[in-house]
Structures are given as C-alpha cells and as structure tokens.
C-alpha cells in the first residue's frame, strides 16, 4: 500500500473494483477538502454509483441524493442531478493541473455549484484547468479506477463501497 504521510488528509476509497488511495490537497482547495471529509465521515458516499464514466476522460460519482443504492431517494435515471443537503461551495480554482489521477469537483455551468459530486481523471484533461476545483490526487489504485464500467449513463454501474478518511480507519 502507498505510504500515507498525512492520514488526516488522505482518503481511502473502496470501490466495487478495488481500493483507491487519494491524497487530499487542503492547501489548494480547503473548503472542498473539508466537504469531502465531512461527507466521508457521515458515510454519505457509501453505496453511491459511478453514474458517468467516459473512456479516456473521467469517472464521475458522488451524487449522494439520487445515486446512493439502497436509499429511499435512489433513482438511476436521476443519478448525477443531485448533491447533498449541504450548501453549494464557492469555486476554489487553482493552477493545479488536471492530470491522470486528479480528483476534482463536478459542478453545473455555475462555477459556485459544486456540492458532493466529483470525478477522477483517467487521462490528462488540460481544458479543465482553472475551471474546476481540484481537491486530490490518486496515489495508489489507478488500475482499479481504470476498471470502472463505462457509460453515460452506466447500466449496472460500479459504486463506492466505502470512502473513509485514513485517520479514522
């Protein structure tokens, strides 16, 4: 396993395809990192599907409202349209580039609309630079991210088994 130097700023994402370790970047996007950790500690991401997965681009998940299997509000046809009950976040755009393994917040056309959804880049995506809030970088398990089932929407999608802050494990 990757060496975890800062357990409070590392998350362990267990997917249906295997484990992914993500180094959080609080110096780049402090409010977005705080939100990811808050939702992780509430176990809000557990069971959430990867609803939009585009070959040679990214895997998107994090709709805790409509994308959480087993919840009363789970609706595969609406997955990707929801967020959490928490307020949207102000953009924290930075010069941190979108490269393979970058974790960044999904949003609508409004730059200040990120909430709970996020994506992991399969490949470099420079056109996203300075337009989306980067909050993490995969340090182990990109091979498992690469195995996530593709689709827009994904039929019988892979999901998050658990997402935990390493300090809590």
């Amino acid at each position: 396993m990757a060496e975890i130097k800062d357990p409070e700023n590392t998350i362990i994402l267990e997917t249906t395809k295997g484990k992914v370790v993500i180094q959080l970047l609080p110096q780049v996007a402090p409010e977005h990192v705080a939100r990811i950790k808050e939702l992780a500690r509430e176990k809000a991401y557990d069971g959430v599907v990867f609803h939009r997965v585009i070959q040679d681009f990214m895997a998107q998940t994090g709709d805790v409202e409509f994308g959480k299997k087993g919840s009363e509000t789970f609706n595969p046809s609406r997955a990707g349209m929801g967020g959490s009950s928490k307020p949207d976040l102000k953009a924290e755009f930075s010069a941190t580039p979108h490269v393979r393994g970058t974790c960044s917040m999904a949003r609508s056309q409004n730059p200040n609309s990120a909430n709970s959804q996020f994506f992991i880049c399969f490949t470099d995506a420079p056109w996203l630079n300075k337009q989306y809030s980067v909050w993490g970088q995969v340090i182990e398990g990109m091979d498992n991210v690469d195995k996530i089932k593709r689709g827009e929407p994904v039929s019988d999608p892979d999901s998050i088994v658990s997402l935990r802050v390493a300090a809590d494990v």
Side-chain angles (χ1 to χ4, degrees), residues 8-26:
E8 184 57 35
N9 286 303
T10 306
I11 55 173
I12 299 170
L13 169 64
E14 192 68 47
T15 74
T16 47
K17 295 300 187 194
K19 184 187 296 189
V20 181
V21 180
I22 300 168
Q23 180 65 56
L24 300 174
L25 304 172

Side-chain angles (χ1 to χ4, degrees), residues 56-68:
D56 298 323
F57 181 29
M58 58 89 217
Q60 186 171 329
T61 185
D63 182 346
V64 301
E65 183 177 4
F66 300 122
K68 187 175 177 101

Side-chain angles (χ1 to χ4, degrees), residues 15 31 33 36 40 42 46 59 72 74 77 88 91 93 99 102 106 110 116-119 138-139 144 155 166:
T15 74
E31 296 302 316
V33 166
I36 295 289
E42 293 172 1
D46 297 8
E72 289 180 17
F74 178 60
S77 66
D88 288 348
F93 299 160
V99 297
T102 294
N110 176 350
S116 64
Q117 291 189 48
F118 65 90
F119 58 91
V138 173
I139 58 172
N144 292 324
S155 61

Side-chain angles (χ1 to χ4, degrees), residues 80-127:
M81 297 180 195
S84 73
S85 60
K86 300 173 190 324
D88 288 348
L89 296 166
K90 286 192 173 155
E92 293 179 299
F93 299 160
S94 69
T96 304
H98 285 78
V99 297
R100 177 170 166 76
T102 294
C103 302
S104 195
M105 291 303 270
R107 62 172 178 80
S108 69
Q109 288 188 326
N110 176 350
N112 300 314
S113 63
N115 187 290
S116 64
Q117 291 189 48
F118 65 90
F119 58 91
I120 303 171
C121 294
F122 290 125
T123 59
D124 295 358
W127 62 92

Side-chain angles (χ1 to χ4, degrees), residues 7-8 10-12 37-38 40-43 163-169:
E8 184 57 35
T10 306
I11 55 173
I12 299 170
K37 288 168 42 173
E38 179 183 19
R41 288 186 161 128
E42 293 172 1
K43 299 180 169 66
L163 192 153
R164 299 288 179 270
V165 177
D168 301 341
V169 179

